[in-house]
């Protein structure tokens, strides 16, 4: 029922900033928590931030706090990821996911027995030195 489309990726210089967008559609999309992830070459999938279905709850892993900012549109159909101080090693496919339960989004990257109900196709961010 829910479909996700990411946009905003591209080439950015080391130290630069970028804002990605994930837009959801479907009858029940407003009832879903959403999150941003990335997967770099040779690395595991990593959670970057998440927002609860109400738009009031947010979560950031300690590794990205202060550099990544999650925000959500008033209609709750778009989740944004602002990335600051990008490094070349952060070149990766960035993608969003949605699930009815925020906790599932928080743990899915580290718990291989879990999965989200819907994933986007991803958008490539390339950080040049």
């Amino acid at each position: 029922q829910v479909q996700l489309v990411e946009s905003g990726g591209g080439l950015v210089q080391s130290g630069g900033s970028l804002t990605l967008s994930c837009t959801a559609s479907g009858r029940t999309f407003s009832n879903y928590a959403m999150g941003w992830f990335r997967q770099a070459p040779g690395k595991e999938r990593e959670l970057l931030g998440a927002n609860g279905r109400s738009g009031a709850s947010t979560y950031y892993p300690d590794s990205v706090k202060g550099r990544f900012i999650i925000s959500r549109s008033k209609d709750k159909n778009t989740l944004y990821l602002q990335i600051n101080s990008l490094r070349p090693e952060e070149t990766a496919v960035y993608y969003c996911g949605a699930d009815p339960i925020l906790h599932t989004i928080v743990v899915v990257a580290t718990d291989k027995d879990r999965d989200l109900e819907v994933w986007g196709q991803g958008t490539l961010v390339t950080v040049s030195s």
Side-chain angles (χ1 to χ4, degrees), residues 47-67:
L47 173 68
L48 306 177
N51 181 255
R53 69 173 72 184
S54 70
S57 300
T58 58
Y59 172 83
Y60 299 99
D62 290 339
S63 61
V64 302
K65 284 184 177 179
R67 291 202 305 120

Side-chain angles (χ1 to χ4, degrees), residues 49-99:
N51 181 255
R53 69 173 72 184
S54 70
S57 300
T58 58
Y59 172 83
Y60 299 99
D62 290 339
S63 61
V64 302
K65 284 184 177 179
R67 291 202 305 120
F68 289 17
I69 302 173
I70 291 284
S71 61
R72 196 164 180 176
S73 66
K74 183 178 180 180
D75 293 334
K76 297 191 293 182
N77 65 329
T78 301
L79 189 70
Y80 302 97
L81 176 66
Q82 180 181 333
I83 316 170
N84 299 317
S85 302
L86 278 162
R87 301 184 290 263
E89 60 267 29
E90 293 179 307
T91 293
V93 175
Y94 288 68
Y95 54 97
C96 63
D99 194 90

Side-chain angles (χ1 to χ4, degrees), residues 2-126:
V2 177
Q3 300 180 30
L4 305 175
V5 178
E6 301 97 335
S7 63
L11 178 65
V12 62
Q13 293 185 352
S14 179
S17 300
L18 201 64
T19 299
L20 308 179
S21 299
C22 173
T23 299
S25 62
R27 186 180 67 85
T28 62
F29 74 88
S30 63
N31 294 325
Y32 278 69
M34 300 174 67
W36 275 102
F37 304 79
R38 71 182 175 195
Q39 188 161 17
K43 297 184 179 180
E44 298 293 327
R45 181 175 55 192
E46 179 185 13
L47 173 68
L48 306 177
N51 181 255
R53 69 173 72 184
S54 70
S57 300
T58 58
Y59 172 83
Y60 299 99
D62 290 339
S63 61
V64 302
K65 284 184 177 179
R67 291 202 305 120
F68 289 17
I69 302 173
I70 291 284
S71 61
R72 196 164 180 176
S73 66
K74 183 178 180 180
D75 293 334
K76 297 191 293 182
N77 65 329
T78 301
L79 189 70
Y80 302 97
L81 176 66
Q82 180 181 333
I83 316 170
N84 299 317
S85 302
L86 278 162
R87 301 184 290 263
E89 60 267 29
E90 293 179 307
T91 293
V93 175
Y94 288 68
Y95 54 97
C96 63
D99 194 90
I101 304 173
L102 175 61
H103 178 73
T104 303
I105 293 179
V106 170
V107 303
V108 70
T110 56
D111 186 348
K112 304 307 179 184
D113 293 328
R114 297 175 182 261
D115 199 9
L116 306 185
E117 287 197 5
V118 60
W119 295 93
Q121 295 299 307
T123 183
L124 177 64
V125 174
T126 301

